[in-house]
């Protein structure tokens, strides 16, 4: 987030699927998120996307938020099942 003349400006990180994976690998070199996994999430309608011609574009932050919430839900379900 940047501030310009007291107006909050949010930078939206919209990337192709390959670009999103590259961003996530820059943030976490050990990530196991792959292009095929993101493509499957898009195809299933799990994560939002927009089309630019034939290119699929996703918001990197939305993808990361989804992965964080999905992981948290998984561990909560396992903990409550015990």
């Amino acid at each position: 987030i940047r501030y310009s003349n007291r107006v909050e400006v949010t930078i939206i990180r919209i990337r192709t699927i390959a670009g999103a994976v590259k961003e996530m690998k820059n943030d976490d070199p050990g990530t196991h998120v792959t292009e095929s996994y993101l493509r499957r999430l898009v195809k299933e309608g799990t994560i939002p996307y927009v089309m630019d011609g034939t290119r699929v574009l996703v918001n990197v932050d939305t993808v990361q938020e989804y992965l964080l919430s999905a992981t948290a839900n998984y561990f909560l379900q396992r903990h409550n099942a015990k």
Side-chain angles (χ1 to χ4, degrees):
I1 298 177
R2 290 184 310 185
Y3 294 92
S4 174
N5 296 333
R6 296 185 180 173
V7 175
E8 185 176 317
V9 178
T10 303
I11 305 300
I12 301 173
R13 299 188 305 158
I14 301 294
R15 304 287 186 272
T16 61
I17 289 180
V21 170
K22 184 177 179 181
E23 286 272 336
M24 289 191 286
K25 287 186 184 280
N26 285 339
D27 293 343
D28 175 16
T31 187
H32 290 278
V33 174
T34 63
E35 289 181 40
S36 61
Y37 178 64
L38 288 188
R39 287 185 201 288
R40 185 173 58 214
L41 293 178
V42 165
K43 185 175 181 179
E44 293 170 350
T46 304
I47 58 174
Y49 67 95
V50 294
M51 295 297 296
D52 177 24
T54 59
R55 296 185 313 169
V56 175
L57 304 176
V58 295
N59 182 324
V60 176
D61 298 313
T62 301
V63 171
Q64 291 177 326
E65 288 170 12
Y66 165 75
L67 294 172
L68 180 62
S69 68
T71 304
N73 288 337
Y74 171 79
F75 285 111
L76 283 173
Q77 289 173 355
R78 290 201 45 168
H79 177 72
N80 291 336
K82 292 182 179 182

